[in-house]
Amino acid sequence: MCGILAVLGCVDNSQAKRARIIELSRRLRHRGPDWSGIHCHDDCYLAHQRLAIVDPTSGDQPLYNEDKTVIVTVNGEIYNHKQLRQKLSSHKFRTGSDCEVIAHLYEEYGEEFVNMLDGMFAFILLDTRDKSFIAARDAIGITPLYLGWGLDGSTWFASEMKALSDDCERFMSFPPGHIYSSKQGGLRRWYNPPWFSEIVPSTPYDPILLRETFERAVVKRMMTDVPFGVLLSGGLDSSLVASVVNRYLAESEAARQWGSQLHTFCIGLKGSPDLKAAKEVADYLGTRHHELYFTVQEGIDALEEVIYHIETYDVTTIRASTPMFLMSRKIKALGVKMVLSGEGSDEIFGGYLYFHKAPNKKELHEETCRKIKALHLYDCLRANKSTAAWGVEARVPFLDKEFIEVAMSMDPEWKMIRRDLGRIEKWVLRNAFDDEENPYLPKHILYRQKEQFSDGVGYSWIDALKDHADKQVPDATMLAASFIYPENTPTTKEGYLYRTIFEKFFPKNAARATVPGGPSVACSTAKAVEWDAAWSKNLDPSGRAALGVHEASYDAVDTKVHKPKNGPL
């Protein structure tokens, strides 16, 4: 993971402008503390802050083609770079970096090469022969990218909003699966999978295909020249990632460099559900497990820094980002620079508890499509920026292009939660890994109920955040909320508190517009709130808001204080 900044078509190409670009690029140094690079060509600047994961000794950026007429700065990982190099046998490579293939692919295939890339990425490429440029973002938006415009007509791209928000009059989140072309004039979508149309598919469920595709997705993400580990919450998704890594680690190149015992990491409040479940999984797999703790006060004290780094005021994202931010700092202190994580499974398989109320397979499928399309604004943003704040890279195998297309081509009838048939949420995934002869996980872990990360670190975390906000935000302030923040008006004191912190760092209207809004229950989209009339009275992103579903759900009679009916307070 790296930090990239590009400014193209500046009126001013003085030394002062170069110094300003370097200054702004330094705002991204947390993403890439290992090296800084900048290339200037007339009125175009490409800057890079590197986190060295693959080829640490020679892969510094920007990267070039043979005669340096094509310049590229990249944030991400290209997992199929070795196969792509074979297609480019006539080209001479300067480094062992997986990202160098981008410059040569452009030379060979023009702008249409992006769909050949298998990985997570955001890049800007400058062709100095005609001063044209392109920028692109990966299919799902795992890797962040922002697009902005200066008053002088310049076009800006940056990994994080903080590097362009001061100097751009307008800016936006670069849409995932898109390419920006100066030659063709603007944005177009390069990623066009069948599921994007939201038409209900009919392919039969194939558990073996699902399992094998996921295993390939995990194995390709073990590509590293530095120590790595797995974020293990003890839930289904992270436990499957850890189990698959553990099976293939011994024969990997990473093991030959760093050893064959997998390191796993979990964070929570003392006595949290995740800590207990994660330790059980780690003991079963035999990993070198790191159990990390935080206190409610430590989390509250970190809120401002968290919001500065993740660049959102979305409530559920901040709740979950804070413990992930604190955990990443400790992971980096242990010398680990890359981790695998379980994001994306719930969106693909309808794993959130509100999916229990999906009325039919058509609505379930359409909701999963909506959730995947919005991932770059929520879980992808959290996983990337919470870890990148401390120079750690998070990789997400569930969001592998091939795996998504297999999972989303399945008849969604199989994803429906059918208690009468013994099918709980994500049953198709659980069943695919339910191997009696060579078990991946213990049965009770494989069939553990969904627990959202912000809940699993300890139920008292969310309750404490609400109490903190209640003390910070007076009742009278909430009465004026719609006048102070007419767009995406906060409806709770917790939401209001986060909004005020966000506005302190990012006060422009363009910044506010990068954050989604609308009603949600247990992480649903606004459309899915319509599935249950009672939900509109209990709009909260916690999984415990799925009344009558979560084992520790909020008491419907006492939704104001949000005390769980069961489980620790």
Side-chain angles (χ1 to χ4, degrees):
M1 197 56 60
C2 307
I4 57 177
L5 172 64
V7 186
L8 304 135
C10 302
V11 171
D12 177 8
N13 61 353
S14 65
Q15 280 297 112
K17 188 66 174 181
R18 178 190 172 100
R20 176 60 176 165
I21 302 300
I22 292 172
E23 178 190 348
L24 294 172
S25 180
R26 287 188 185 128
R27 295 184 183 179
L28 304 175
R29 187 160 290 174
H30 53 275
R31 299 185 63 86
D34 297 333
W35 186 260
S36 300
I38 186 169
H39 182 99
C40 306
H41 176 78
D42 293 340
D43 57 357
C44 298
Y45 301 83
L46 278 73
H48 190 265
Q49 302 288 341
R50 187 183 185 204
L51 180 68
I53 304 291
V54 175
D55 186 26
T57 57
S58 74
D60 297 332
Q61 295 192 33
L63 297 163
Y64 307 89
N65 65 339
E66 289 91 335
D67 62 4
K68 292 195 172 184
T69 56
V70 175
I71 308 146
V72 63
T73 181
V74 190
N75 174 19
E77 306 291 346
I78 309 302
Y79 302 122
N80 64 334
H81 74 104
K82 290 183 178 178
Q83 298 93 309
L84 292 172
R85 282 178 183 242
Q86 292 173 2
K87 295 177 182 288
L88 300 163
S89 56
S90 63
H91 292 253
K92 182 179 179 181
F93 284 77
R94 297 172 178 272
T95 75
S97 169
D98 54 296
C99 295
E100 191 182 340
V101 294
I102 291 173
H104 301 286
L105 285 168
Y106 171 78
E107 276 195 299
E108 194 75 21
Y109 300 100
E111 293 184 356
E112 304 309 316
F113 74 89
V114 182
N115 200 36
M116 299 170 69
L117 301 176
D118 182 8
M120 57 178 189
F121 56 83
F123 70 82
I124 298 94
L125 181 149
L126 173 66
D127 187 339
T128 63
R129 293 167 295 192
D130 60 4
K131 284 187 66 175
S132 64
F133 61 88
I134 61 172
R137 190 178 184 187
D138 66 64
I140 305 300
I142 302 164
T143 305
L145 188 64
Y146 292 84
L147 164 62
W149 297 270
L151 284 173
D152 61 355
S154 55
T155 305
W156 293 58
F157 302 93
S159 294
E160 294 183 5
M161 196 160 54
K162 58 182 64 67
L164 53 67
S165 58
D166 290 347
D167 291 65
C168 290
E169 184 64 18
R170 294 292 301 169
F171 51 90
M172 58 181 279
S173 177
F174 194 105
H178 279 67
I179 180 172
Y180 184 100
S181 168
S182 65
K183 284 182 182 176
Q184 298 196 28
L187 288 157
R188 69 181 187 274
R189 187 150 52 89
W190 64 263
Y191 180 58
N192 297 284
W195 63 265
F196 212 88
S197 68
E198 301 186 12
I199 296 172
V200 178
S202 57
T203 305
Y205 168 49
D206 184 339
I208 302 303
L209 175 62
L210 194 68
R211 181 202 298 180
E212 291 177 349
T213 308
F214 181 69
E215 288 188 325
R216 285 195 297 273
V218 171
V219 170
K220 72 176 71 167
R221 282 159 180 80
M222 293 163 62
M223 177 185 81
T224 178
D225 293 322
V226 299
F228 81 104
V230 173
L231 303 185
L232 178 62
S233 69
L236 173 69
D237 308 327
S238 64
S239 298
L240 284 178
V241 173
S243 180
V244 174
V245 171
N246 208 47
R247 288 193 175 208
Y248 289 93
L249 182 58
E251 60 196 60
S252 71
E253 180 63 31
R256 285 189 280 275
Q257 293 188 69
W258 304 105
S260 58
Q261 187 173 34
L262 176 63
H263 287 250
T264 51
F265 305 90
C266 184
I267 192 166
L269 304 174
K270 289 279 188 180
S272 77
D274 279 1
L275 288 173
K276 180 181 177 183
K279 186 177 188 310
E280 187 174 358
V281 175
D283 289 346
Y284 178 81
L285 297 176
T287 71
R288 174 74 175 87
H289 190 55
H290 305 268
E291 200 168 80
L292 309 172
Y293 305 95
F294 78 105
T295 65
V296 165
Q297 190 59 53
E298 286 170 339
I300 289 172
D301 291 343
L303 282 175
E304 286 211 6
E305 199 174 0
V306 168
I307 292 170
Y308 172 75
H309 278 287
I310 65 173
E311 303 181 323
T312 187
Y313 49 83
D314 176 68
V315 170
T316 188
T317 304
I318 293 166
R319 288 175 175 180
S321 292
T322 305
M324 199 168 190
F325 173 88
L326 296 171
M327 174 170 57
S328 298
R329 187 176 194 176
K330 294 185 178 183
I331 288 172
K332 186 61 178 288
L334 290 166
V336 171
K337 295 170 73 173
M338 187 272 282
V339 292
L340 274 69
S341 190
E343 277 76 17
S345 172
D346 292 309
E347 287 75 11
I348 295 167
F349 295 106
Y352 290 109
L353 296 183
Y354 73 89
F355 277 95
H356 278 254
K357 299 294 181 74
N360 53 61
K361 71 177 186 180
K362 180 178 183 292
E363 295 226 25
L364 181 142
H365 179 71
E366 290 172 352
E367 176 72 358
T368 59
C369 292
R370 289 191 292 266
K371 291 293 290 182
I372 297 171
K373 290 175 185 178
L375 265 169
H376 67 291
L377 300 170
Y378 296 102
D379 287 26
C380 288
L381 180 149
R382 166 183 55 79
N384 181 280
K385 293 182 180 177
S386 297
T387 54
W390 300 107
V392 176
E393 176 176 281
R395 298 181 181 176
V396 283
F398 279 106
L399 298 181
D400 179 81
K401 272 200 304 183
E402 181 190 10
F403 180 74
I404 290 176
E405 288 173 27
V406 167
M408 292 303 289
S409 67
M410 180 195 312
D411 186 336
E413 181 63 39
W414 290 95
K415 298 180 184 178
M416 290 289 289
I417 297 164
R418 294 283 304 275
R419 289 176 171 173
D420 57 323
L421 299 177
R423 293 185 194 166
I424 63 172
E425 66 277 355
K426 292 186 287 195
W427 177 86
V428 290
L429 183 63
R430 301 174 196 271
N431 180 67
F433 285 89
D434 195 349
D435 188 337
E436 295 284 354
E437 294 183 5
N438 190 13
Y440 285 78
L441 295 167
K443 286 272 190 184
H444 64 284
I445 294 291
L446 194 61
Y447 291 94
R448 181 191 179 198
Q449 186 179 58
K450 164 67 186 171
E451 192 76 86
Q452 287 170 212
F453 182 57
S454 54
D455 286 324
V457 295
Y459 296 141
S460 57
W461 167 234
I462 290 177
D463 297 329
L465 285 173
K466 292 177 179 178
D467 290 343
H468 173 68
D470 194 54
K471 295 171 185 173
Q472 298 296 313
V473 181
D475 292 342
T477 300
M478 289 304 296
L479 295 175
S482 62
F483 300 102
I484 298 170
Y485 301 123
E487 307 91 9
N488 271 355
T489 304
T491 57
T492 66
K493 289 187 175 183
E494 185 186 6
Y496 191 97
L497 175 64
Y498 301 158
R499 183 66 173 271
T500 58
I501 297 170
F502 176 88
E503 296 270 344
K504 181 169 70 173
F505 297 123
F506 308 106
K508 290 186 176 178
N509 284 331
R512 298 180 195 114
T514 65
V515 183
S520 174
V521 62
C523 285
S524 74
T525 67
K527 178 67 176 173
V529 173
E530 300 170 8
W531 292 351
D532 190 317
W535 286 348
S536 62
K537 302 173 184 176
N538 192 45
L539 295 173
D540 189 281
S542 167
R544 289 181 290 155
L547 303 178
V549 176
H550 195 292
E551 292 169 358
S553 63
Y554 296 147
D555 189 336
V557 179
D558 193 12
T559 56
K560 182 179 179 182
V561 295
H562 296 284
K563 292 181 179 178
K565 291 188 292 186
N566 305 297
L569 289 173

